[in-house]
Amino acid sequence: MPGFEIIGPEERAEVEQVLQSGVFMRYGFDGARQGRWPSRELEAALAARLGLRHVHVCSSGTAAVFTALAACGVGAGDEVIVPPFTFVADIEAVLWLGAIPVFAEIDETLCLDPASVAAKITSRTKAVLVVHMCGSMARVDELAVLCCRKGLLLIEDVAQAVGAGFRGKPLGTFGKAGCFSFDYVKTITCGEGGAVVTGDAELHDLVQAFTDHGHDHKGKDRGADLHPIIGLNFRISELHAAVGLAQLRKLDSILETQRRHKGFLKDGLRDVPGVTFRRLPDPAGDSATFLSFFLPTESDARQKAAALAAAGVDGCFYWYDNNWHYHRRWQHFKDLASPAELAVKRGGWLKSLHNIQVPQSDALMGRTIGMLIKLSWTENDLNQRLERMRSVLSAG
Ligand SMILES: *Cc1c(COP(=O)(O)O)cnc(C)c1O
């Protein structure tokens, strides 16, 4: 998954140009910047490479999710259907906007189960926030149809699946908006960065204004801009965008390497008794950042995860116990612990998140091990890894 494995002269050259111009801000300073607009260039390059209509880059994936929700009109008292396997950023964004996270089940795709989503819809539901976890996709076509039928906004968190698609259509284009992250550990990195993508020109206009204090960016003089909406500062810097430009040019080779490495390990594990794999709605669209597999029981998975680590197979995650990605360890959310009282608490809409009931997800995640696919593995590393994995996973 991580583009940081291959930082090289390309990134340095891009950053050097920005340093030479001395213009680190994405707006204004037209004379000094010597014709270089890295953030704009990154937006155009992302749109071209990923087949997206309108792209706005911002300071982080968290900012992208917050901005997408806000610009789509998600606010105080609205219910947003979310998965229990995600990253904390999505829940943070929903809660700080005053909205209520409603947890639906995941299925063997490790993403939202459309049937469970349908069952969680109420008269207050405003949006479904689907998170394409660990490089691959949800049953996003079914979710899109459901949201369309019910008049709900579908927002995609594609932070972990840049370059992935479903039946030839890029993730991030199935709903109202898509959100990307280019933080340090993502498939391509800016150091810190993110993007909101949409096919809706009006929404794009709100998004770009929201991330810069509501500036309309209509004229040449920043000081004379109007502020049609209240926003925040979620701007990316030109230094970060410059890193992203070099990284994006490496995306195809990153995906190619990931798919090759993952394919080798997955093929080599197919005949191991008891091991089954995550369901991929479109295997060809997988970005292959992770290999996720199931064991027959929770105790098998716990035992094997520990044994893999002991055998030197690094990069394996037992997400069920993870405190960033799975709901069981989210004590601060359950307590609604925040420095200021949240709107959901003041409004009496949500007392706590102590009773998140997702038995299907718990049963599934308890049996799941995820393994990060690295770019830097050699042939020898791959052979050794497969041998060790086979030996640990086949042992009785
Ligand atoms: C990384 C991540 C984010 C947040 O991105 P940042 O750039 O780190 O703020 C959001 N959602 C998911 C699923 C992520 O993995």
Side-chain angles (χ1 to χ4, degrees), residues 295-303 318 320 328 362-363 366-367:
L295 288 151
T297 67
E298 179 184 329
S299 84
D300 290 330
R302 271 182 199 287
Q303 190 245 320
Y318 184 59
Y320 195 53
R328 291 202 320 144
D362 289 345
R367 302 196 290 115

Side-chain angles (χ1 to χ4, degrees), residues 115-129:
S116 175
V117 171
K120 298 283 177 170
I121 295 170
T122 72
S123 59
R124 301 179 84 146
T125 309
K126 180 101 177 203
V128 174
L129 179 51

